[in-house]
Coordinates of all heavy atoms in Angstrom, one line a residue:
M1 N 165.7 46.4 94.2 CA 164.5 45.7 93.8 C 163.4 46.3 94.6 O 163.4 46.6 95.7 CB 164.7 44.2 94.2 CG 163.5 43.4 93.8 SD 163.8 41.6 94.0 CE 164.7 41.2 92.5
S2 N 162.3 46.6 93.9 CA 161.1 47.2 94.4 C 160.3 46.2 95.3 O 160.2 45.0 94.9 CB 160.2 47.7 93.4 OG 160.8 48.7 92.6
T3 N 159.7 46.7 96.3 CA 158.8 45.8 97.1 C 157.4 45.9 96.4 O 157.2 46.7 95.6 CB 158.7 46.3 98.5 OG1 158.1 47.6 98.5 CG2 160.0 46.4 99.2
Q4 N 156.5 45.0 96.8 CA 155.2 45.0 96.2 C 154.5 46.3 96.5 O 153.7 46.7 95.7 CB 154.4 43.8 96.8 CG 154.8 42.5 96.1 CD 153.9 41.3 96.5 OE1 153.3 41.4 97.6 NE2 153.8 40.3 95.7
S5 N 154.6 46.8 97.7 CA 153.9 48.1 98.0 C 154.4 49.2 97.1 O 153.6 50.1 96.7 CB 154.0 48.4 99.5 OG 155.4 48.7 99.8
E6 N 155.7 49.3 96.8 CA 156.3 50.3 96.0 C 155.7 50.1 94.5 O 155.4 51.1 93.9 CB 157.8 50.3 95.9 CG 158.4 50.8 97.2 CD 159.9 50.6 97.2 OE1 160.4 49.9 96.3 OE2 160.6 51.1 98.1
A7 N 155.7 48.9 94.1 CA 155.2 48.6 92.8 C 153.7 48.9 92.6 O 153.3 49.4 91.6 CB 155.4 47.1 92.4
A8 N 152.9 48.7 93.7 CA 151.5 49.1 93.6 C 151.3 50.6 93.5 O 150.4 51.0 92.9 CB 150.8 48.5 94.9
V9 N 152.2 51.4 94.2 CA 152.1 52.8 94.2 C 152.6 53.4 92.9 O 152.1 54.3 92.3 CB 152.8 53.4 95.4 CG1 152.8 55.0 95.3 CG2 152.1 53.0 96.7
Q10 N 153.7 52.9 92.4 CA 154.4 53.4 91.2 C 153.6 53.0 89.9 O 153.2 51.9 89.8 CB 155.8 52.8 91.1 CG 156.5 53.2 89.9 CD 157.9 52.5 89.7 OE1 158.1 51.5 90.3 NE2 158.7 53.1 88.9
Q11 N 153.4 54.0 89.1 CA 152.7 53.8 87.8 C 153.7 54.2 86.7 O 154.5 55.1 86.9 CB 151.5 54.7 87.7 CG 150.3 54.2 88.6 CD 149.0 55.0 88.3 OE1 149.1 56.1 87.7 NE2 147.9 54.5 88.6
H12 N 153.6 53.4 85.7 CA 154.5 53.7 84.5 C 154.0 54.9 83.8 O 152.8 55.2 83.8 CB 154.5 52.5 83.6 CG 155.0 51.3 84.2 ND1 156.4 51.1 84.6 CD2 154.4 50.1 84.6 CE1 156.5 50.0 85.2 NE2 155.4 49.3 85.2
G13 N 154.9 55.7 83.2 CA 154.6 56.9 82.5 C 153.5 56.8 81.4 O 152.8 57.7 81.2
Y14 N 153.5 55.6 80.8 CA 152.6 55.4 79.7 C 151.1 55.1 80.1 O 150.2 55.0 79.3 CB 153.1 54.3 78.7 CG 153.1 53.0 79.3 CD1 151.9 52.2 79.3 CD2 154.2 52.5 79.9 CE1 151.9 50.9 79.9 CE2 154.2 51.2 80.5 CZ 153.1 50.4 80.5 OH 153.1 49.2 81.1
I15 N 150.9 55.0 81.4 CA 149.6 54.5 81.9 C 148.4 55.4 81.4 O 147.3 54.9 81.1 CB 149.6 54.3 83.4 CG1 148.5 53.4 83.9 CG2 149.5 55.7 84.1 CD1 148.7 52.0 83.6
T16 N 148.6 56.7 81.3 CA 147.6 57.6 80.8 C 147.3 57.4 79.3 O 146.2 57.8 78.9 CB 147.9 59.0 81.1 OG1 149.1 59.4 80.4 CG2 148.0 59.3 82.6
E17 N 148.2 56.8 78.6 CA 148.1 56.6 77.2 C 147.9 55.1 76.9 O 148.0 54.7 75.7 CB 149.3 57.1 76.4 CG 149.6 58.6 76.7 CD 148.5 59.5 76.1 OE1 148.0 59.2 75.1 OE2 148.2 60.5 76.8
K18 N 147.7 54.3 77.9 CA 147.6 52.8 77.7 C 146.7 52.4 76.6 O 147.1 51.6 75.7 CB 147.2 52.2 79.0 CG 147.1 50.7 79.0 CD 146.7 50.1 80.3 CE 146.5 48.6 80.2 NZ 146.1 48.1 81.5
E19 N 145.5 52.9 76.5 CA 144.5 52.5 75.5 C 145.0 52.9 74.1 O 144.8 52.1 73.2 CB 143.1 53.1 75.8 CG 142.4 52.5 77.0 CD 142.3 51.0 76.9 OE1 141.9 50.4 75.9 OE2 142.6 50.3 77.9
Q20 N 145.6 54.0 74.0 CA 146.1 54.4 72.7 C 147.3 53.5 72.2 O 147.3 53.1 71.1 CB 146.6 55.9 72.7 CG 145.5 56.9 72.8 CD 145.1 57.2 74.2 OE1 145.4 56.5 75.2 NE2 144.4 58.3 74.4
Y21 N 148.1 53.1 73.2 CA 149.2 52.2 72.8 C 148.6 50.8 72.5 O 149.1 50.2 71.5 CB 150.2 52.0 74.0 CG 151.2 53.2 74.1 CD1 151.2 54.0 75.2 CD2 152.1 53.4 73.1 CE1 152.1 55.0 75.4 CE2 153.0 54.5 73.2 CZ 153.0 55.3 74.3 OH 153.9 56.3 74.4
L22 N 147.6 50.4 73.2 CA 147.0 49.1 72.8 C 146.4 49.1 71.5 O 146.5 48.2 70.7 CB 146.0 48.7 73.9 CG 146.6 48.3 75.2 CD1 145.5 48.1 76.3 CD2 147.4 47.0 75.1
Q23 N 145.7 50.2 71.1 CA 145.1 50.4 69.8 C 146.2 50.4 68.7 O 146.0 49.7 67.7 CB 144.2 51.6 69.7 CG 143.0 51.6 70.5 CD 142.0 50.5 69.9 OE1 142.3 49.3 69.9 NE2 140.9 51.0 69.4
R24 N 147.2 51.1 69.0 CA 148.3 51.1 68.0 C 148.9 49.7 67.8 O 149.2 49.3 66.7 CB 149.4 52.1 68.4 CG 148.9 53.6 68.3 CD 149.9 54.5 68.9 NE 151.0 54.8 68.0 CZ 152.0 55.5 68.2 NH1 152.1 56.2 69.4 NH2 153.0 55.7 67.4
M25 N 149.1 49.0 68.9 CA 149.7 47.7 68.8 C 148.7 46.7 68.0 O 149.1 45.8 67.3 CB 150.0 47.1 70.2 CG 151.2 47.8 70.8 SD 152.7 47.9 69.8 CE 153.0 46.2 69.5
K26 N 147.4 46.9 68.2 CA 146.4 46.1 67.5 C 146.5 46.4 66.0 O 146.4 45.4 65.2 CB 145.0 46.3 68.0 CG 144.8 45.7 69.3 CD 143.4 46.0 69.9 CE 143.3 45.4 71.3 NZ 142.0 45.8 71.9
R27 N 146.7 47.6 65.6 CA 146.9 48.0 64.2 C 148.1 47.4 63.7 O 148.2 46.9 62.5 CB 146.8 49.5 64.0 CG 145.5 50.1 64.1 CD 145.4 51.5 63.6 NE 146.3 52.4 64.3 CZ 146.0 53.1 65.4 NH1 144.8 52.9 65.9 NH2 146.9 53.9 65.9
I28 N 149.2 47.4 64.4 CA 150.5 46.9 64.0 C 150.3 45.4 63.8 O 150.9 44.8 62.9 CB 151.6 47.2 65.1 CG1 151.9 48.7 64.9 CG2 152.8 46.3 64.9 CD1 152.8 49.2 66.1
E29 N 149.6 44.7 64.7 CA 149.4 43.3 64.6 C 148.7 43.0 63.3 O 149.0 42.0 62.6 CB 148.6 42.8 65.8 CG 148.3 41.3 65.8 CD 147.4 40.9 67.0 OE1 146.9 41.8 67.7 OE2 147.3 39.7 67.2
G30 N 147.7 43.8 63.0 CA 147.0 43.6 61.7 C 147.9 43.8 60.5 O 147.8 43.1 59.5
Q31 N 148.8 44.8 60.6 CA 149.7 45.1 59.5 C 150.6 43.8 59.3 O 150.9 43.4 58.2 CB 150.6 46.3 59.8 CG 149.9 47.6 59.6 CD 150.9 48.7 59.9 OE1 151.2 49.0 61.1 NE2 151.4 49.4 58.9
A32 N 151.1 43.3 60.4 CA 151.9 42.1 60.3 C 151.2 40.9 59.7 O 151.8 40.2 58.8 CB 152.5 41.7 61.7
R33 N 149.9 40.7 60.1 CA 149.1 39.6 59.4 C 148.9 39.9 58.0 O 149.0 39.0 57.1 CB 147.8 39.5 60.2 CG 147.9 38.7 61.5 CD 146.5 38.3 62.0 NE 145.6 39.4 62.0 CZ 145.4 40.2 63.1 NH1 146.1 40.0 64.2 NH2 144.5 41.2 63.1
G34 N 148.7 41.2 57.6 CA 148.6 41.6 56.2 C 149.8 41.3 55.4 O 149.7 40.8 54.3
I35 N 151.0 41.5 56.0 CA 152.2 41.2 55.3 C 152.4 39.7 55.1 O 152.8 39.2 54.0 CB 153.4 41.8 56.0 CG1 153.4 43.3 56.0 CG2 154.8 41.2 55.5 CD1 154.4 44.0 56.9
A36 N 152.0 38.9 56.1 CA 152.1 37.5 56.0 C 151.2 37.0 54.9 O 151.5 36.1 54.1 CB 151.7 36.8 57.3
K37 N 150.0 37.6 54.8 CA 149.0 37.2 53.7 C 149.6 37.6 52.3 O 149.4 36.9 51.4 CB 147.7 37.9 53.9 CG 146.6 37.5 52.9 CD 145.3 38.0 53.3 CE 144.2 37.6 52.3 NZ 144.5 37.0 51.1
M38 N 150.2 38.8 52.3 CA 150.9 39.2 51.0 C 151.9 38.1 50.5 O 151.9 37.8 49.3 CB 151.5 40.5 51.1 CG 150.6 41.7 51.3 SD 151.4 43.3 51.5 CE 151.9 43.6 49.8
I39 N 152.7 37.7 51.5 CA 153.7 36.7 51.1 C 153.0 35.4 50.7 O 153.3 34.8 49.7 CB 154.6 36.4 52.3 CG1 155.5 37.7 52.6 CG2 155.5 35.2 52.1 CD1 156.2 37.7 53.9
D40 N 152.0 35.0 51.5 CA 151.2 33.8 51.1 C 150.6 33.9 49.7 O 150.5 32.9 49.0 CB 150.2 33.5 52.2 CG 149.5 32.1 52.0 OD1 150.2 31.1 51.8 OD2 148.3 32.1 52.1
D41 N 150.1 35.1 49.4 CA 149.5 35.3 48.1 C 150.5 35.6 47.0 O 150.1 35.9 45.9 CB 148.5 36.5 48.2 CG 147.3 36.2 49.1 OD1 147.0 35.0 49.4 OD2 146.6 37.1 49.5
E42 N 151.8 35.6 47.4 CA 152.9 35.8 46.4 C 152.8 37.1 45.7 O 152.9 37.2 44.5 CB 152.9 34.6 45.4 CG 153.1 33.3 46.0 CD 153.1 32.1 45.1 OE1 153.1 32.3 43.8 OE2 153.2 31.0 45.6
K43 N 152.5 38.2 46.5 CA 152.5 39.5 46.0 C 153.9 40.0 45.6 O 154.9 39.4 46.0 CB 151.9 40.5 47.0 CG 150.5 40.2 47.4 CD 149.5 40.4 46.2 CE 148.1 40.1 46.7 NZ 147.2 40.2 45.5
Y44 N 154.0 41.0 44.9 CA 155.2 41.6 44.4 C 156.1 42.0 45.6 O 155.7 42.6 46.5 CB 154.9 42.8 43.5 CG 156.1 43.4 42.8 CD1 156.9 42.7 42.0 CD2 156.3 44.8 42.9 CE1 158.0 43.2 41.4 CE2 157.4 45.4 42.3 CZ 158.3 44.6 41.5 OH 159.3 45.1 40.8
C45 N 157.4 41.6 45.5 CA 158.3 41.8 46.6 C 158.4 43.3 47.0 O 158.5 43.5 48.2 CB 159.7 41.2 46.3 SG 160.4 41.7 44.7
I46 N 158.4 44.2 46.1 CA 158.6 45.6 46.4 C 157.4 46.1 47.2 O 157.5 46.9 48.2 CB 158.8 46.5 45.2 CG1 160.1 46.1 44.5 CG2 158.8 47.9 45.5 CD1 161.4 46.2 45.4
D47 N 156.2 45.6 46.9 CA 155.0 45.9 47.6 C 155.1 45.4 49.1 O 154.7 46.1 50.0 CB 153.7 45.4 47.0 CG 153.5 46.0 45.6 OD1 154.0 47.2 45.4 OD2 152.8 45.4 44.8
I48 N 155.6 44.2 49.2 CA 155.8 43.6 50.6 C 156.8 44.5 51.3 O 156.6 44.8 52.5 CB 156.2 42.2 50.5 CG1 155.1 41.3 49.8 CG2 156.6 41.6 51.9 CD1 155.5 39.9 49.5
L49 N 157.9 44.8 50.7 CA 158.9 45.6 51.4 C 158.4 47.0 51.8 O 158.7 47.5 52.9 CB 160.2 45.8 50.5 CG 161.0 44.5 50.3 CD1 162.0 44.8 49.2 CD2 161.6 44.1 51.6
T50 N 157.5 47.6 51.0 CA 156.9 48.8 51.3 C 156.0 48.7 52.6 O 156.1 49.6 53.5 CB 156.0 49.3 50.1 OG1 156.8 49.5 49.0 CG2 155.3 50.6 50.5
Q51 N 155.3 47.6 52.7 CA 154.5 47.4 53.9 C 155.3 47.1 55.1 O 155.0 47.5 56.2 CB 153.5 46.2 53.6 CG 152.4 46.6 52.6 CD 151.7 47.8 53.0 OE1 151.2 48.0 54.1 NE2 151.6 48.7 52.1
I52 N 156.5 46.4 54.9 CA 157.4 46.1 56.0 C 158.0 47.5 56.5 O 158.1 47.7 57.7 CB 158.5 45.2 55.6 CG1 157.9 43.8 55.4 CG2 159.6 45.2 56.6 CD1 158.9 42.7 54.8
S53 N 158.3 48.4 55.6 CA 158.8 49.7 56.0 C 157.7 50.4 56.8 O 158.0 51.1 57.8 CB 159.1 50.5 54.7 OG 159.5 51.8 55.1
A54 N 156.5 50.4 56.4 CA 155.4 51.0 57.2 C 155.2 50.4 58.5 O 155.0 51.1 59.5 CB 154.1 50.9 56.4
L55 N 155.3 49.1 58.6 CA 155.2 48.4 59.9 C 156.4 48.8 60.8 O 156.2 49.1 62.0 CB 155.3 46.9 59.7 CG 155.2 46.0 60.9 CD1 153.9 46.2 61.7 CD2 155.4 44.5 60.5
T56 N 157.6 48.9 60.3 CA 158.8 49.3 61.0 C 158.6 50.7 61.6 O 158.8 50.9 62.8 CB 160.0 49.2 60.2 OG1 160.2 47.9 59.7 CG2 161.3 49.7 60.9
R57 N 158.1 51.6 60.8 CA 157.8 53.0 61.2 C 156.8 53.0 62.4 O 156.9 53.8 63.3 CB 157.4 53.9 60.1 CG 158.6 54.3 59.2 CD 158.2 55.4 58.2 NE 157.0 55.1 57.4 CZ 156.9 54.4 56.3 NH1 158.0 53.9 55.8 NH2 155.8 54.3 55.7
A58 N 155.7 52.2 62.2 CA 154.7 52.1 63.2 C 155.3 51.6 64.6 O 155.0 52.2 65.6 CB 153.6 51.2 62.8
I59 N 156.1 50.6 64.5 CA 156.7 50.1 65.7 C 157.7 51.1 66.3 O 157.7 51.3 67.6 CB 157.4 48.7 65.5 CG1 156.4 47.7 65.1 CG2 158.3 48.3 66.6 CD1 157.0 46.4 64.6
Q60 N 158.4 51.8 65.5 CA 159.3 52.8 66.0 C 158.5 54.0 66.6 O 159.0 54.5 67.6 CB 160.2 53.4 64.9 CG 161.2 52.4 64.4 CD 162.0 52.9 63.1 OE1 161.5 53.7 62.4 NE2 163.2 52.3 62.9
G61 N 157.4 54.3 66.1 CA 156.5 55.3 66.7 C 156.1 54.9 68.1 O 156.1 55.8 69.0
V62 N 155.7 53.7 68.3 CA 155.4 53.2 69.7 C 156.6 53.3 70.6 O 156.5 53.7 71.7 CB 154.8 51.8 69.6 CG1 154.6 51.2 71.0 CG2 153.4 51.7 68.9
A63 N 157.7 52.8 70.1 CA 158.9 52.8 70.9 C 159.3 54.2 71.3 O 159.7 54.5 72.5 CB 160.1 52.1 70.1
T64 N 159.3 55.2 70.4 CA 159.7 56.5 70.7 C 158.7 57.2 71.7 O 159.1 58.0 72.5 CB 159.9 57.4 69.5 OG1 158.8 57.4 68.7 CG2 161.1 56.9 68.7
G65 N 157.4 56.8 71.5 CA 156.4 57.3 72.5 C 156.6 56.8 73.9 O 156.6 57.6 74.8
L66 N 157.0 55.5 74.0 CA 157.3 55.0 75.3 C 158.5 55.6 75.9 O 158.6 55.8 77.1 CB 157.4 53.4 75.2 CG 156.1 52.7 75.0 CD1 156.4 51.2 74.6 CD2 155.2 52.8 76.2
L67 N 159.5 55.8 75.1 CA 160.7 56.4 75.5 C 160.5 57.8 76.0 O 160.9 58.3 77.1 CB 161.8 56.5 74.4 CG 163.1 57.1 74.8 CD1 163.8 56.4 76.0 CD2 164.0 57.1 73.6
D68 N 159.6 58.6 75.3 CA 159.3 59.9 75.7 C 158.5 59.9 77.1 O 158.8 60.7 77.9 CB 158.4 60.6 74.6 CG 158.0 62.0 74.9 OD1 158.9 62.8 75.0 OD2 156.8 62.3 75.1
D69 N 157.6 59.0 77.2 CA 156.9 58.8 78.5 C 157.9 58.5 79.6 O 157.8 59.0 80.7 CB 155.8 57.7 78.4 CG 154.6 58.2 77.6 OD1 154.4 59.4 77.4 OD2 153.9 57.3 77.0
H70 N 158.9 57.6 79.3 CA 159.8 57.2 80.3 C 160.6 58.5 80.8 O 160.8 58.7 82.0 CB 160.8 56.2 79.8 CG 161.9 55.8 80.7 ND1 161.6 55.0 81.9 CD2 163.2 56.0 80.7 CE1 162.8 54.8 82.5 NE2 163.7 55.4 81.9
L71 N 161.0 59.3 79.8 CA 161.8 60.5 80.2 C 161.0 61.5 81.0 O 161.4 62.0 82.0 CB 162.3 61.1 78.9 CG 163.4 60.4 78.1 CD1 163.7 61.0 76.8 CD2 164.7 60.2 78.9
K72 N 159.7 61.7 80.5 CA 158.9 62.7 81.2 C 158.3 62.3 82.5 O 158.0 63.1 83.3 CB 157.7 63.0 80.2 CG 158.1 63.8 79.0 CD 156.9 64.1 78.1 CE 157.3 64.9 77.0 NZ 156.2 65.1 76.0
H73 N 158.3 61.0 82.7 CA 157.7 60.5 84.0 C 158.8 59.8 84.9 O 159.1 60.4 86.0 CB 156.5 59.6 83.8 CG 155.4 60.2 83.1 ND1 154.5 61.0 83.7 CD2 155.1 60.2 81.7 CE1 153.6 61.5 82.8 NE2 153.9 61.0 81.6
C74 N 159.3 58.7 84.5 CA 160.2 57.9 85.3 C 161.5 58.7 85.6 O 161.9 58.8 86.8 CB 160.5 56.6 84.6 SG 159.1 55.6 84.3
V75 N 162.1 59.3 84.6 CA 163.4 60.0 84.8 C 163.1 61.3 85.6 O 163.8 61.5 86.6 CB 164.1 60.3 83.5 CG1 165.3 61.2 83.7 CG2 164.5 59.0 82.8
L76 N 162.1 62.0 85.2 CA 161.8 63.3 85.9 C 161.4 63.0 87.3 O 161.9 63.8 88.2 CB 160.7 64.0 85.1 CG 160.4 65.4 85.6 CD1 161.6 66.3 85.5 CD2 159.2 66.0 84.7
D77 N 160.6 62.0 87.6 CA 160.2 61.7 88.9 C 161.4 61.4 89.8 O 161.5 61.8 91.0 CB 159.2 60.6 89.0 CG 157.8 61.0 88.5 OD1 157.6 62.3 88.3 OD2 156.9 60.2 88.2
A78 N 162.3 60.6 89.3 CA 163.5 60.2 90.0 C 164.3 61.4 90.3 O 164.9 61.6 91.4 CB 164.3 59.1 89.3
A79 N 164.4 62.3 89.4 CA 165.2 63.5 89.6 C 164.6 64.4 90.6 O 165.3 65.0 91.5 CB 165.4 64.3 88.3
K80 N 163.3 64.5 90.6 CA 162.5 65.4 91.5 C 162.7 64.9 93.0 O 162.6 65.7 93.9 CB 161.1 65.5 91.2 CG 160.7 66.3 90.0 CD 159.2 66.3 89.7 CE 158.8 67.2 88.6 NZ 157.4 67.1 88.3
L81 N 162.8 63.6 93.1 CA 163.0 63.0 94.5 C 164.3 63.4 95.1 O 164.5 63.2 96.3 CB 162.8 61.5 94.4 CG 161.4 61.0 94.2 CD1 161.3 59.5 94.0 CD2 160.4 61.5 95.3
G82 N 165.3 63.8 94.3 CA 166.6 64.2 94.8 C 167.5 63.1 95.0 O 168.6 63.2 95.6
D83 N 167.1 61.9 94.5 CA 168.0 60.7 94.7 C 168.8 60.6 93.4 O 168.4 60.1 92.4 CB 167.1 59.4 94.9 CG 167.8 58.2 95.1 OD1 169.1 58.2 94.9 OD2 167.2 57.2 95.5
D84 N 170.1 61.1 93.6 CA 171.0 61.1 92.4 C 171.2 59.7 91.8 O 171.2 59.6 90.6 CB 172.3 61.7 92.8 CG 172.2 63.3 92.9 OD1 171.2 63.8 92.6 OD2 173.2 63.8 93.4
A85 N 171.4 58.7 92.7 CA 171.6 57.4 92.2 C 170.4 56.8 91.4 O 170.6 56.3 90.3 CB 171.9 56.4 93.3
A86 N 169.2 57.1 91.9 CA 168.0 56.6 91.2 C 167.9 57.4 89.9 O 167.5 56.8 88.8 CB 166.8 56.8 92.0
A87 N 168.1 58.7 89.9 CA 168.0 59.5 88.7 C 169.0 59.0 87.6 O 168.7 58.8 86.4 CB 168.2 61.0 89.0
R88 N 170.3 58.8 88.1 CA 171.3 58.3 87.1 C 170.9 56.9 86.5 O 171.1 56.6 85.4 CB 172.6 58.2 87.8 CG 173.3 59.5 88.0 CD 174.8 59.4 88.4 NE 175.3 60.6 88.8 CZ 175.4 61.0 90.1 NH1 175.0 60.3 91.0 NH2 175.9 62.2 90.4
A89 N 170.3 56.1 87.4 CA 169.9 54.7 86.9 C 168.8 54.9 85.9 O 168.8 54.1 84.8 CB 169.4 53.9 88.1
K90 N 167.8 55.8 86.1 CA 166.8 56.0 85.1 C 167.3 56.5 83.8 O 166.9 56.2 82.7 CB 165.7 56.9 85.7 CG 164.9 56.3 86.8 CD 164.1 55.0 86.4 CE 163.4 54.4 87.5 NZ 162.7 53.2 87.2
I91 N 168.2 57.5 83.9 CA 168.9 58.0 82.7 C 169.6 56.9 82.0 O 169.6 56.9 80.7 CB 169.8 59.2 83.1 CG1 168.9 60.4 83.5 CG2 170.7 59.6 81.9 CD1 169.7 61.5 84.2
Q92 N 170.4 56.1 82.7 CA 171.1 55.0 82.1 C 170.1 54.0 81.3 O 170.4 53.5 80.3 CB 171.9 54.2 83.1 CG 172.9 53.2 82.4 CD 173.8 53.8 81.4 OE1 174.5 54.8 81.8 NE2 173.9 53.3 80.2
E93 N 169.0 53.7 82.0 CA 168.0 52.9 81.3 C 167.5 53.5 80.0 O 167.4 52.8 79.0 CB 166.7 52.8 82.2 CG 166.9 51.9 83.4 CD 165.6 51.8 84.3 OE1 164.8 52.7 84.1 OE2 165.6 50.9 85.1
A94 N 167.3 54.8 80.0 CA 166.9 55.5 78.8 C 168.0 55.5 77.7 O 167.7 55.2 76.6 CB 166.5 57.0 79.1
T95 N 169.2 55.7 78.2 CA 170.4 55.6 77.2 C 170.5 54.3 76.6 O 170.7 54.1 75.4 CB 171.7 56.0 78.0 OG1 171.5 57.4 78.5 CG2 172.9 55.9 77.0
D96 N 170.4 53.2 77.4 CA 170.4 51.9 76.9 C 169.3 51.6 75.9 O 169.5 50.9 74.9 CB 170.4 50.9 78.1 CG 171.6 50.9 79.0 OD1 172.6 51.5 78.6 OD2 171.6 50.4 80.1
A97 N 168.1 52.1 76.3 CA 167.0 51.9 75.4 C 167.2 52.6 74.0 O 166.9 52.0 73.0 CB 165.7 52.3 76.0
I98 N 167.7 53.8 74.1 CA 168.0 54.5 72.8 C 169.0 53.8 72.0 O 168.9 53.6 70.8 CB 168.5 55.9 73.2 CG1 167.4 56.8 73.8 CG2 169.1 56.6 71.9 CD1 167.8 58.1 74.4
N99 N 170.1 53.3 72.7 CA 171.1 52.5 72.0 C 170.5 51.3 71.3 O 170.8 50.9 70.1 CB 172.2 52.1 72.9 CG 173.2 53.2 73.2 OD1 173.3 54.1 72.4 ND2 173.7 53.2 74.4
R100 N 169.6 50.6 72.0 CA 168.9 49.4 71.3 C 168.1 49.8 70.1 O 168.1 49.1 69.1 CB 168.1 48.7 72.4 CG 168.9 47.9 73.4 CD 168.0 47.0 74.2 NE 167.0 47.7 75.0 CZ 167.2 48.2 76.2 NH1 168.4 48.1 76.8 NH2 166.2 48.8 76.8
L101 N 167.4 51.0 70.3 CA 166.5 51.4 69.2 C 167.4 51.8 68.0 O 167.0 51.6 66.8 CB 165.7 52.6 69.6 CG 164.5 52.3 70.5 CD1 163.9 53.6 71.1 CD2 163.5 51.4 69.8
V102 N 168.5 52.5 68.2 CA 169.4 52.9 67.1 C 170.0 51.7 66.4 O 170.1 51.8 65.2 CB 170.5 53.9 67.7 CG1 171.5 54.2 66.6 CG2 169.8 55.2 68.2
R103 N 170.3 50.7 67.1 CA 170.9 49.5 66.5 C 169.9 48.7 65.7 O 170.3 48.0 64.8 CB 171.5 48.6 67.6 CG 172.8 49.1 68.1 CD 173.5 48.0 68.9 NE 172.7 47.4 70.0 CZ 172.8 47.7 71.3 NH1 173.8 48.6 71.6 NH2 172.0 47.2 72.1
S104 N 168.6 48.8 66.0 CA 167.6 48.0 65.4 C 167.2 48.5 64.0 O 167.6 49.6 63.6 CB 166.4 47.8 66.3 OG 165.8 49.0 66.5

């Protein structure tokens, strides 16, 4: 478990792209609202499914970007420190995240 001082020093890998991730999530939020409106307006089901597919791809894009950042920063930093246990733990986190993404 990290102490508060370690948490204050440690930055997540995505921090340099934070604004881009937030903008992407706002667009995704708008897409989701648009799909709800399509359903409310009783639009054609195939058109709704097409928009759901686009929304899914957008979310997957954010997820793979975050995973890439995790690998390039968190995993790499742990490996550079020479702490094998920490590096293995970060790799396991990435593996678990990949498994969750593949199942979804």
Side-chain angles (χ1 to χ4, degrees):
M1 183 174 275
S2 297
T3 66
Q4 282 186 336
S5 62
E6 287 174 351
V9 172
Q10 180 186 18
Q11 289 187 340
H12 299 292
Y14 66 85
I15 199 73
T16 60
E17 305 293 324
K18 179 180 173 180
E19 289 305 315
Q20 290 87 344
Y21 280 118
L22 288 172
Q23 287 294 64
R24 290 172 77 183
M25 291 307 300
K26 287 177 185 177
R27 283 194 302 274
I28 288 168
E29 182 181 10
Q31 284 180 284
R33 281 194 308 270
I35 292 168
K37 184 172 179 356
M38 289 177 77
I39 293 168
D40 190 45
D41 293 345
E42 300 177 7
K43 298 294 184 185
Y44 186 54
C45 52
I46 296 302
D47 293 338
I48 296 169
L49 290 170
T50 299
Q51 292 305 309
I52 289 171
S53 178
L55 177 64
T56 300
R57 285 191 309 274
I59 291 171
Q60 287 171 339
V62 170
T64 56
L66 288 168
L67 180 59
D68 184 61
D69 288 337
H70 179 70
L71 293 171
K72 288 179 179 174
H73 297 279
C74 302
V75 173
L76 188 58
D77 289 348
K80 284 180 181 177
L81 290 174
D83 184 346
D84 286 349
R88 282 192 193 96
K90 294 294 181 186
I91 291 169
Q92 187 61 51
E93 286 176 347
T95 300
D96 293 345
I98 292 167
N99 284 330
R100 287 190 300 274
L101 287 171
V102 170
R103 281 194 307 256
S104 61

